[in-house]
Amino acid sequence: MVKLPIPHQGPGDVESRAAAGARRCQGLLLAICLRLSWEEKQSGNLEDYEETVKKAKEAWKVWADIPAPKRGEIVRQIGDALRQKIKVLGSLVSLEMGKIFVEGVGEVQEYVDVCDYAVGLSRMIGGPILPSERPGHALIEQWNPVGLVGVITAFNFPVAVYGWNSAIAMICGNACLWKGAPTTSLVSVAVTKIIAKVLEDNKLPGAICSLVCGGADIGTAMARDERMDLLSFTGSTKVGKQVALMVQERFGRSLLELGGNNAIIVFEDADLNLVIPSALFAAVGTAGQRCTTARRLFLHESIHDEVVAKLAKAYAQVRIGDPWDSDTLYGPLHTKEAVKMFLDAVEQAKQQGGSVVCGGKVINRPGNYVEPTIVTGLPHNAPIVHTETFAPILYVLKFKEEEEVFAWNNEVKQGLSSSIFTKDLGRIFRWLGPKGSDCGIVNVNIPTSGAEIGGAFGGEKHTGGGRESGSDSWKLYMRRSTCTINYSKDLPLAQGIKFQ
Ligand SMILES: *[C@@H]1O[C@H](CO)[C@@H](O)[C@H](O)[C@H]1NC(C)=O
């Protein structure tokens, strides 16, 4: 069920991007956007939520009875439907979120990829048959869907994060109830309509993948609701903590993907031809609004000045512009509040001893543009360095030794992504080992961002501990039963207990 929200954004956000792009953009897309955002300004309320949960629960009864490989077939069709609309959906992401067009398309591609992955998985999920210590008994692990999976996603990946959750949750046999970010509701509506059509063409209830657009009231209702068998939340650590506590209060299950404060460490033996584009992409891509954005760059003292100079040169060449232009590499921030947070962080960095090597200012053009920024000279433990600011600010820090820099990588509260650049084999394995990076994503000679769907995605500590997408993440969307079946004729109890 679809209810449209009142756009939270004023001129300078989605409307100004639409107006600026009107000359070039696909006329139809624009017409849809304008009609959706201006004529039907309506947000889902708690009554709508109640009705939607009931419909999703009803739909689950149908979905749970369908064999997993057949559910996979439906997910395959969803992937195909997304493939057909990949460009138009990518443009809508670009329009509403503000990321550049290729990244918007890339995000839909991630959803397509995870659908393919889920199709294969739909024939593989299952548990082992374990050896029973009792004669004539079988010990079987059975996995069942949890039921209804609530998915709350953030503005920065308005398609991919829902895709990761819903494709896997669906093949596991769950119904989904999605609440996207209030500022990217057009994307949520468009994606839901594509999925609903596939379901309904297969004579299945569209409510298997339900949507409620709304604000914090809906999010809170989901967190408190016992009927939400799993709540997957992607967003800030601050809100994620509130969600986690509300879900824990009712002994519910949550899957959390929260903040990151990701570091790239460059050793003296690193290939600097790799380092410069990698650091640039990780720090500046999506205007610094990825959870895996590189925010800290640790440089060995022997190469510090050289790398800073080269990086500043590379920053100066970043093509800033309209996210819809194929030439643009770097677009605007999502909202005006983000611009304010950017300026605050730059100010704090200066107060705490940092020097702005490049950037640091708002760009004088409509639409929330700020300069990609490099700050040097801060101590590794400056409070601002330990703060995740969702903006393109890179703190460059100097180190001497491996041991200290591994410790600095781990000293922040968050534990999402991390990278080293080196050719030293021993160091690489120390980095992957128990005294190396404590993050969920641990890279070597590639940057912190750009995860593949085949691996488990997520992080430790204040990042929330959840894992999504690949590997055995599917287990988080299911409940495990340990089943003992007696097929014998007598009564041997476990541990040799005699009960007479
Ligand atoms: C297993 O089933 C048989 C046949 O019903 C019964 O005689 C036996 O007591 C059962 N064993 C246990 C451990 O329950």
Side-chain angles (χ1 to χ4, degrees):
M1 116 156 252
V2 166
K3 285 276 175 154
L4 290 162
I6 301 157
H8 285 206
Q9 316 175 58
D13 301 308
V14 68
E15 281 98 341
S16 78
R17 279 198 284 280
R23 280 160 285 125
R24 267 152 288 147
C25 113
Q26 301 89 330
L28 183 65
L29 168 68
L30 187 70
I32 294 167
C33 297
L34 298 186
R35 195 161 55 81
L36 287 176
S37 71
W38 288 313
E39 283 176 19
E40 299 181 46
K41 289 186 179 182
Q42 192 182 1
S43 184
N45 58 30
L46 289 172
E47 262 166 55
D48 300 321
Y49 168 75
E50 193 55 35
E51 200 183 328
T52 311
V53 172
K54 285 194 183 122
K55 292 227 166 98
K57 282 280 183 188
E58 280 302 307
W60 178 75
K61 292 181 187 161
V62 177
W63 187 241
D65 280 344
I66 295 172
K70 294 248 163 63
R71 296 194 295 248
E73 164 56 21
I74 304 297
V75 172
R76 189 191 64 76
Q77 291 178 33
I78 292 171
D80 275 352
L82 291 164
R83 267 186 188 93
Q84 283 166 19
K85 299 227 160 48
I86 193 161
K87 288 224 166 112
V88 72
L89 205 49
S91 327
L92 185 57
V93 170
S94 182
L95 170 77
E96 200 175 26
M97 186 276 164
K99 63 174 68 177
I100 60 173
F101 174 69
V102 284
E103 286 187 37
V105 172
E107 198 183 325
V108 184
Q109 184 63 49
E110 262 188 75
Y111 191 171
V112 168
D113 292 344
V114 82
C115 284
D116 288 350
Y117 177 83
V119 177
L121 204 57
S122 72
R123 290 183 184 269
M124 291 189 279
I125 48 171
I129 299 179
L130 298 155
S132 169
E133 67 185 38
R134 288 170 281 189
H137 283 62
L139 194 52
I140 294 175
E141 195 171 285
Q142 165 88 25
W143 290 82
N144 281 306
V146 291
L148 179 58
V149 176
V151 184
I152 300 179
T153 59
F155 78 86
N156 62 334
F157 281 93
V159 174
V161 172
Y162 178 64
W164 294 355
N165 280 281
S166 70
I168 306 289
M170 282 181 85
I171 63 104
C172 292
N174 301 293
C176 296
L177 193 153
W178 180 20
K179 185 188 103 58
T183 51
T184 55
S185 44
L186 301 180
V187 171
S188 309
V189 170
V191 170
T192 299
K193 290 203 166 186
I194 291 169
I195 300 171
K197 181 167 189 314
V198 172
L199 289 167
E200 282 158 10
D201 286 352
N202 284 279
K203 307 208 169 7
L204 289 164
I208 290 167
C209 292
S210 294
L211 171 72
V212 182
C213 289
D217 54 338
I218 304 290
T220 304
M222 290 171 81
R224 295 225 167 103
D225 195 336
E226 297 254 356
R227 295 168 298 179
M228 214 52 64
D229 300 292
L230 167 69
L231 185 58
S232 173
F233 174 88
T234 303
S236 69
T237 294
K238 185 166 162 265
V239 178
K241 187 172 180 180
Q242 295 166 3
V243 168
L245 292 173
M246 285 188 272
V247 175
Q248 186 58 43
E249 164 103 60
R250 60 176 174 87
F251 289 108
R253 282 202 205 187
S254 59
L255 193 171
L256 303 171
E257 297 287 352
L258 313 178
N261 193 345
N262 318 295
I264 295 178
I265 303 170
V266 184
F267 287 93
E268 60 277 23
D269 64 341
D271 180 348
L272 294 190
N273 293 326
L274 271 181
V275 168
I276 305 300
S278 293
L280 180 73
F281 170 69
V284 165
T286 329
Q289 299 167 104
R290 293 189 184 209
C291 46
T292 53
T293 292
R295 309 210 179 273
R296 298 178 293 152
L297 177 65
F298 290 108
L299 300 174
H300 188 264
E301 57 178 3
S302 63
I303 52 163
H304 177 274
D305 295 355
E306 183 189 354
V307 172
V308 170
K310 284 187 170 155
L311 202 55
K313 216 168 142 198
Y315 266 57
Q317 284 160 15
V318 171
R319 291 187 304 274
I320 301 172
D322 186 324
W324 267 344
D325 274 342
S326 55
D327 228 28
T328 303
L329 284 179
Y330 175 93
L333 290 180
H334 187 53
T335 57
K336 275 183 212 38
E337 292 77 71
V339 175
K340 198 179 157 293
M341 286 188 304
F342 164 85
L343 289 172
D344 278 358
V346 171
E347 203 40 53
Q348 284 182 52
K350 284 183 196 159
Q351 279 168 18
Q352 290 168 27
S355 356
V356 176
V357 172
C358 66
K361 295 190 294 294
V362 169
I363 298 172
N364 187 18
R365 59 176 287 166
N368 309 327
Y369 285 80
V370 301
E371 292 172 344
T373 300
I374 299 175
V375 177
T376 56
L378 283 163
H380 64 91
N381 55 0
I384 193 65
V385 174
H386 283 217
T387 308
E388 178 192 37
T389 304
F390 231 55
I393 307 171
L394 182 67
Y395 303 110
V396 180
L397 310 146
K398 211 184 268 189
F399 75 93
K400 285 194 178 72
E401 279 156 14
E402 177 187 301
E403 204 183 326
E404 73 177 357
V405 79
F406 283 7
W408 294 351
N409 177 74
N410 295 349
E411 75 184 354
V412 293
K413 296 272 191 218
Q414 307 88 337
L416 182 55
S417 188
S418 55
S419 308
I420 58 169
F421 282 77
T422 184
K423 296 194 193 89
D424 182 330
L425 195 58
R427 175 175 286 148
I428 290 171
F429 279 89
R430 288 193 291 279
W431 172 241
L432 308 184
K435 293 177 187 166
S437 171
D438 65 359
C439 293
I441 300 183
V442 183
N443 292 341
V444 178
N445 294 331
I446 66 157
T448 51
S449 60
E452 291 185 31
I453 58 110
F457 180 88
E460 307 295 342
K461 303 190 290 184
H462 287 209
T463 303
R467 290 298 186 280
E468 281 171 0
S469 195
S471 187
D472 63 354
S473 307
W474 61 269
K475 290 184 173 173
L476 295 170
Y477 300 85
M478 302 197 88
R479 60 181 175 82
R480 175 197 332 237
S481 321
T482 302
C483 316
T484 312
I485 303 157
N486 165 23
Y487 59 90
S488 78
K489 290 206 165 58
D490 34 49
L491 181 86
L493 294 180
Q495 288 94 33
I497 295 168
K498 298 260 187 310
F499 199 77
Q500 283 154 344

